[in-house]
Structure formats: structure tokens, C-alpha cells
């Protein structure tokens, strides 16, 4: 984190710009889309700064970069969600979760973590179900399944009890959990009832999640290089 911290300075500055300007969501524009996406653009640059060879040779990092690209597109769609682009944003983030899940890989399997995430995801959908109608009844179910699967793969990699965890895996795990909190807040605010300070909660947890997931990709490089040298 100490070595990578300076490379994240543009991300922190862009995040501060977003919260300082706090552009109204009621008047969407390309400028507001740019300000919202700017921190994610900075995370693109953060990963690209490690070199194309790094991204090509480390599949997890390249998939996380692809996930960040789809996230930015999803962010832009959600700027115009009142104009009918909410589903488009939902689709972009669904692809993001698929990419992140593949980056976190399937080993170790950890069925207990999978069962836990299944219970959490099912409980969330059961609560939301009565508020959903039309295509959202099915779209939200699929989306929750995808983000729950992503959370499972991130949690499964930590293995605190076996003392096999790394900062890489812990960063991915915390990032995935924050992403789930952000998306759950969106769902509650969009379909159920107004959530106090919803926009702040959504964006603060979202930016933190994306930063931690991006950081985990770079730490993966260090971990794999160490194994090769050993």
C-alpha cells in the first residue's frame, strides 16, 4: 500500500472533486457524468501505469481493468436513469461483477462462504421482492445473484482461519463487501423507500470498493512475482 499510495493520489483528488462539486442529480449532463466517472478513470490510469505487459501477463489485473471500464459506462448511464437508462446501467454493472468474479478465481472453493453469501443474497431479494414489478422482478434477481457470487469469490479467498490470507485477498474482500452495501442502498432507495443520505452512502462505499479492488490487482502482481522468485 505504501508503494502504491502515491499512484492513487489522482483518484483521491478526483473523489474529492466529486464530493465538493456535488452536482445535482436532477439536471444530468455530460459534465456531471465526467465528474462522476473521473475517479474510475483515475483507477484505469492507476492500473495502466504498471505497464501493458503487467496487464497482459496477469489475467486478474486485466479483468479488473475491464470491470472498471464497464463500471464507468454504467456510471454514465445512471446519470440519465430518470430518462430510462437505469436498466442499461444495471447491465453494465452486471458485466462488471462477472469480470470481478473471474478475477477472484474459483480456488479455494469454500462452500461455507458460498452458503453464507447465498443466504444473504436470498434474504435481500426476499425483502425487495414485494417492491419490484415488471422486468425488474427478474433483472434484480439476476443482478443480486451475480453480485452475491462475486462477494463469495472475494470472501472465499481470504481464509483467515487457516492463516492463508494476504493483503491482496483482504483488499478484494472488503472492496466486494462495500460494493454490495452500495448496490443494496441503491436498490432500497430506488424501489423501496428513501434512504437518508443515500447518495453519500452509495458513492462513498462505491468509490472505496473500486479503489480496494483495483489495489488488490496490483498486490496480486507482487504476490505472484514473489512465488516465481521462490
Amino acid at each position: 500500500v505504501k508503494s502504491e499510495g502515491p499512484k492513487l493520489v489522482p483518484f483521491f483528488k478526483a473523489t474529492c472533486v466529486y464530493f465538493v462539486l456535488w452536482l445535482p442529480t436532477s439536471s444530468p449532463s455530460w459534465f456531471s457524468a465526467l465528474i462522476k466517472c473521473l475517479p474510475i478513470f483515475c483507477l484505469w490510469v492507476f492500473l495502466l501505469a504498471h505497464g501493458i505487459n503487467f496487464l497482459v501477463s496477469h489475467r486478474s489485473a486485466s479483468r479488473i481493468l475491464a470491470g472498471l471500464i464497464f463500471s464507468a459506462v454504467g456510471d454514465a448511464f445512471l446519470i440519465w436513469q430518470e430518462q430510462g437508462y437505469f436498466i442499461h446501467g444495471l447491465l453494465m454493472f452486471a458485466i462488471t461483477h462477472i469480470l470481478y468474479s473471474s478475477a477472484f478465481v474459483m480456488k479455494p472453493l469454500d462452500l461455507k462462504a458460498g452458503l453464507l453469501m447465498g443466504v444473504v443474497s436470498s434474504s435481500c431479494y426476499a425483502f425487495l421482492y414485494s417492491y419490484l414489478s415488471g422486468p425488474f422482478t427478474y433483472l434484480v434477481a439476476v443482478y443480486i445473484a451475480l453480485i452475491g457470487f462475486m462477494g463469495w469469490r472475494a470472501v472465499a479467498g481470504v481464509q483467515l482461519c487457516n492463516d492463508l490470507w494476504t493483503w491482496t485477498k483482504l483488499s478484494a474482500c472488503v472492496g466486494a463487501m462495500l460494493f454490495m452495501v452500495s448496490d443494496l442502498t441503491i436498490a432500497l432507495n430506488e424501489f423501496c423507500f428513501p434512504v437518508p443520505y443515500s447518495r453519500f452512502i452509495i458513492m462513498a462505499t462505491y468509490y472505496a470498493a473500486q479503489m480496494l479492488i483495483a489495489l488488490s490487482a496490483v498486490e496480486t502482481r507482487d504476490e505472484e512475482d514473489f512465488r516465481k522468485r521462490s
Side-chain angles (χ1 to χ4, degrees):
V1 175
K2 290 181 180 179
S3 63
E4 300 297 338
K7 299 187 184 79
L8 286 170
V9 169
F11 165 79
F12 289 120
K13 288 183 177 179
T15 303
C16 288
V17 167
Y18 172 82
F19 284 110
V20 168
L21 292 180
W22 204 244
L23 297 169
T25 56
S26 58
S27 54
S29 66
W30 285 108
F31 179 70
S32 59
L34 173 64
I35 295 302
K36 184 181 181 184
C37 295
L38 192 58
I40 307 303
F41 294 158
C42 291
L43 292 178
W44 295 4
V45 175
F46 170 72
L47 289 179
L48 289 169
H50 293 84
I52 299 299
N53 290 336
F54 157 63
L55 293 172
V56 170
S57 59
H58 296 80
R59 292 182 180 179
S60 293
S62 61
R63 289 169 183 171
I64 287 174
L65 176 60
L68 288 169
I69 292 171
F70 278 99
S71 293
V73 177
D75 281 332
F77 276 130
L78 291 180
I79 287 287
W80 284 276
Q81 63 179 325
E82 299 300 328
Q83 285 71 36
Y85 288 96
F86 182 81
I87 292 179
H88 298 72
L90 197 69
L91 176 61
M92 292 300 102
F93 279 106
I95 296 172
T96 294
H97 296 318
I98 292 172
L99 288 164
Y100 286 169
S101 297
S102 65
F104 298 151
V105 301
M106 289 300 296
K107 293 182 180 180
L109 194 59
D110 197 346
L111 294 178
K112 290 182 179 179
L115 179 61
L116 175 62
M117 293 307 302
V119 170
V120 171
S121 298
S122 299
S123 300
C124 290
Y125 182 70
F127 179 81
L128 293 170
Y129 180 78
S130 61
Y131 295 93
L132 302 174
S133 61
F136 285 111
T137 304
Y138 310 102
L139 291 174
V140 171
V142 173
Y143 187 88
I144 288 177
L146 289 174
I147 194 171
F149 184 83
M150 186 270 290
W152 169 33
R153 297 323 310 147
V155 170
V158 178
Q159 290 190 291
L160 288 172
C161 295
N162 297 328
D163 200 26
L164 296 175
W165 65 278
T166 65
W167 287 110
T168 303
K169 295 170 182 176
L170 187 60
S171 179
C173 177
V174 175
M177 294 301 100
L178 288 174
F179 217 135
M180 294 179 74
V181 171
S182 179
D183 280 356
L184 178 60
T185 306
I186 290 176
L188 292 174
N189 196 64
E190 182 73 19
F191 300 113
C192 303
F193 48 78
V195 177
Y197 308 107
S198 60
R199 187 178 169 196
F200 177 80
I201 296 170
I202 291 165
M203 297 311 299
T205 53
Y206 170 68
Y207 286 141
Q210 295 283 39
M211 180 199 69
L212 289 169
I213 291 172
L215 187 60
S216 75
V218 175
E219 291 185 7
T220 299
R221 176 202 61 177
D222 298 334
E223 179 186 326
E224 291 180 4
D225 290 347
F226 176 77
R227 286 202 300 265
K228 289 178 182 178
R229 289 195 300 268
S230 301

